[in-house]
Amino acid sequence: MVQSATTNPHRATRPVVGAIWMLITGLCFVAVTAMVKLVGSDVPPAQSAFLRYALGLVFLIPMIRPMIEAKLSRRALKLFGLRGVVHTAGVILWFYAMTQIPIADVTSMNYLSPVYVTILAAIFLGEKLAIRRIMAIGVALVGAFLILRPGFREVSGGHIAMIFTAIFFAVGYLIAKIMTDETSPTVVVGMLSLTVTIGLAPFAFAVWVPVTGMQLLWLFFVAAFATAGHLSMSMAFKHAPLTVTQPVTFLQLIWATLLGVFMFDEPVDLFVISGGGLIILAISYITLREAMKRREVVTPAVPQTKV
């Protein structure tokens, strides 16, 4: 799920190609949200999440050999286990939020995860928070306030779920950043799929309901498009740095809004779009500042913190 986002000033870049791949990434993840929304509340969130990962294990087959050959240490297994726990919680909450609030709200609030990564990196990894980065975080939090507007509209359980979803995904991303220094990205991705499938199993079986063939098909497509999204994201990073691809992720909010309007009769909320735009602006600024200092980019691309 997580790819290296190191900025290499000596690597030849093709910004247009990178932007196109990131555009495809956004469309893949919008397709994921649409199919989860179609399944809706007919299947409990924990069960939907489990089936998405269980059906997606077919994409894990090429990763089995590298995972076995990695000979992971006890420390690595503990960290992968911890990542599996927090990501399991985030995935369940994300699927729950999809049944409770509009797609645009879910998409906008997921943008907060890279902001939390920046904050957590300062707390646990010793990253310095200069005044400009603090101001960018403040802008992102203003964006979150515009989305939630407490006191002006009801803050539903879906919105609260997305707040914690973004936090859990941020923790998982930081663990992945640590592990990519010790093992290959293939092992990191494979261990995430395996641990989350195991973690979701007891929650799914506790609320299990019969599912139709069509629901299973939709959830398989969710797994397929999520995998395709992460592959296209890696292609985007191959051709262009985060400073180019990051702003393109804002288009995902546009697609999500249009999808909500035309497929699910969800009203356009300009506050949500504006709030999401502020968050993306803040993330893009932080990423640009990190790149200007020619160091490893800690702030992830938005798709790196998704299901």
Side-chain angles (χ1 to χ4, degrees):
M1 177 172 184
V2 175
Q3 307 292 333
S4 176
T6 305
T7 302
N8 184 351
H10 303 294
R11 185 185 67 189
T13 62
R14 301 171 66 188
V16 175
V17 175
I20 291 173
W21 275 114
M22 189 55 78
L23 177 62
I24 294 171
T25 299
L27 292 173
C28 284
F29 283 113
V30 169
V32 167
T33 60
M35 288 179 281
V36 171
K37 197 77 170 179
L38 284 170
V39 174
S41 57
D42 293 336
V43 180
Q47 184 180 345
S48 292
F50 170 75
L51 288 172
R52 170 263 184 267
Y53 273 88
L55 293 170
L57 287 179
V58 64
F59 303 111
L60 191 64
I61 294 174
M63 305 177 190
I64 294 176
R65 185 174 180 179
M67 290 168 62
I68 294 174
E69 294 177 346
K71 296 180 180 179
L72 299 173
S73 65
R74 181 175 297 180
R75 173 182 174 275
L77 291 173
K78 287 182 178 179
L79 285 174
F80 279 132
L82 176 59
R83 188 188 182 206
V85 169
V86 296
H87 204 85
T88 294
V91 167
I92 292 175
L93 290 173
W94 185 86
F95 272 79
Y96 169 75
M98 283 297 300
T99 67
Q100 302 296 312
I101 58 178
I103 292 176
D105 290 52
V106 171
T107 302
S108 295
M109 294 194 69
N110 196 70
Y111 288 163
L112 283 171
S113 196
V115 178
Y116 294 142
V117 168
T118 301
I119 297 172
L120 293 173
I123 297 173
F124 295 106
L125 301 183
E127 282 288 314
K128 293 183 179 180
L129 281 182
I131 185 64
R132 292 180 179 178
R133 294 180 77 190
I134 294 175
M135 291 175 64
I137 292 171
V139 170
L141 294 178
V142 170
F145 182 85
L146 284 176
I147 296 168
L148 295 174
R149 302 194 301 283
F152 296 93
R153 73 164 180 173
E154 178 185 2
V155 178
S156 72
H159 291 106
I160 295 173
M162 278 309 300
I163 291 174
F164 285 99
T165 294
I167 293 173
F168 287 137
F169 284 172
V171 174
Y173 176 83
L174 283 179
I175 295 173
K177 288 289 287 183
I178 294 171
M179 295 312 302
T180 50
D181 292 334
E182 302 180 15
T183 188
S184 70
T186 298
V187 174
V188 174
V189 173
M191 288 300 295
L192 176 67
S193 298
L194 184 61
T195 56
V196 173
T197 303
I198 295 171
L200 287 168
F203 296 99
F205 293 144
V207 295
W208 195 270
V209 299
V211 293
T212 66
M214 183 56 68
Q215 289 169 333
L216 284 175
L217 183 62
W218 281 127
L219 290 170
F220 175 76
F221 282 143
V222 168
F225 273 91
T227 302
H230 289 299
L231 289 174
S232 61
M233 179 176 61
S234 68
M235 292 299 295
F237 293 157
K238 178 180 178 180
H239 291 289
L242 268 178
T243 49
V244 172
T245 60
Q246 187 78 282
V248 181
T249 58
F250 177 71
L251 290 174
Q252 186 176 332
L253 178 56
I254 305 300
W255 313 143
T257 301
L258 294 175
L259 184 71
V261 171
F262 292 109
M263 284 192 64
F264 302 104
D265 295 324
E266 295 174 350
V268 176
D269 191 330
L270 294 179
F271 285 100
V272 171
I273 296 175
S274 299
L278 284 177
I279 295 170
I280 277 289
L281 182 65
I283 297 169
S284 300
Y285 176 77
I286 293 172
T287 303
L288 177 62
R289 291 292 300 173
E290 290 175 339
M292 288 175 64
K293 293 182 179 179
R294 295 186 181 276
R295 63 185 179 85
E296 185 181 6
V297 177
V298 173
T299 305
V302 172
Q304 286 177 281
T305 53
K306 289 187 178 293
V307 298

